[in-house]
Amino acid sequence: SSGINAEWPLRREKNRRRTEKEAQRLIKDGSVVILVNEPVPPGAVCVLGKGLGFVPTPSLDVEGTRLDMRLTTNRILQSSNQSLNSNDQFETPNLPQIPPKLYQKSYYSSQSSDDSSVNDIVKSMEADLDQRWTIQKTTRGDTKKNLSKEETEGLKWLECMNNEGKLSVVQADKGGAVIIINPETLRKKTLEKLQNP
């Protein structure tokens, strides 16, 4: 195992150098044009070099999906129990509703329903989800990501800078180059084109 651990930093460094080399090539051949004073990470340049229509491989959130399923089945079981209890002579007092902003998700397993058909539906839903995950895992295998670690970090950097209004990414009218530009400069150029068609 020490051999694998020793190779990891070397592999990481090799990937980093490959990303830097690709970024330099994209800038040199004009595929990506940088018109901002902000230093742009090589990973961001490489992502933009893939084109504006590029879509990263989605990651699967197995745990999140399972927790969402638990919330759904809990609601079904609680609704069933409430409707069965409402037919009894016992009345539940009207409790104030919790404001949506204060409501916290609870992932505990809800008490099974007295209605066996509801329990069967819930078990069927849980089994169906487990089966789908198993099938998806075997058919997709370990889906290879189409972004390196440096490119993923570059994409996050681009999103952050764009959300902060520090840069905009547009495609050139002619040649199809991807341009990283200051939003104020982009506004000025757009207004110039509108005033002088």
Side-chain angles (χ1 to χ4, degrees):
S1 81
S2 64
I4 294 172
N5 291 338
E7 290 177 19
W8 186 251
L10 295 174
R11 185 178 296 157
R12 175 93 166 113
E13 180 62 23
K14 184 179 177 182
N15 289 339
R16 187 188 61 75
R17 283 195 308 260
R18 184 184 307 134
T19 301
E20 286 178 357
K21 190 175 180 179
E22 177 66 11
Q24 290 171 356
R25 184 191 67 76
L26 289 166
I27 292 170
K28 186 176 179 181
D29 73 11
S31 297
V32 177
V33 179
I34 301 173
L35 299 176
V36 293
N37 294 329
E38 193 80 30
V40 179
V45 174
C46 289
V47 168
L48 293 176
K50 294 176 186 282
L52 294 182
F54 173 76
V55 179
T57 305
S59 59
L60 298 174
D61 183 11
V62 176
E63 288 302 312
T65 304
R66 288 186 188 278
L67 290 172
D68 288 343
M69 176 60 87
R70 169 134 333 143
L71 285 174
T72 302
T73 57
N74 283 348
R75 284 190 208 117
I76 292 169
L77 292 170
Q78 289 169 355
S79 296
S80 171
N81 287 333
Q82 285 175 352
S83 67
L84 289 172
N85 289 338
S86 67
N87 293 337
D88 296 342
Q89 297 157 351
F90 172 72
E91 279 190 35
T92 57
N94 281 339
L95 298 174
Q97 291 289 325
I98 298 174
K101 289 184 179 180
L102 297 178
Y103 177 75
Q104 291 184 350
K105 292 181 180 179
S106 177
Y107 296 107
Y108 67 92
S109 288
S110 201
Q111 180 182 0
S112 60
S113 176
D114 293 334
D115 186 350
S116 62
S117 61
V118 171
N119 290 331
D120 291 342
I121 291 170
V122 168
K123 286 178 186 174
S124 171
M125 289 171 65
E126 291 170 348
D128 184 49
L129 179 67
D130 286 339
Q131 183 182 11
R132 286 175 191 245
W133 280 120
T134 304
I135 290 170
Q136 193 165 27
K137 191 187 291 185
T138 56
T139 57
R140 285 183 73 175
D142 286 333
T143 303
K144 190 168 184 173
K145 295 184 178 184
N146 55 3
L147 287 180
S148 68
K149 185 173 174 82
E150 289 80 13
E151 290 171 335
T152 302
E153 290 169 359
L155 181 60
K156 288 178 183 175
W157 181 86
L158 284 168
E159 289 173 338
C160 179
M161 296 298 282
N162 187 39
N163 290 341
E164 291 175 6
K166 294 183 179 177
L167 61 82
S168 293
V169 177
V170 294
Q171 192 148 13
D173 292 343
K174 296 177 184 173
V178 176
I179 302 172
I180 303 172
I181 191 168
N182 182 309
E184 190 57 39
T185 305
L186 180 63
R187 249 182 250 112
K188 287 178 186 175
K189 295 287 183 188
T190 305
L191 288 174
E192 283 177 18
K193 279 189 173 185
L194 290 173
Q195 291 172 353
N196 300 322

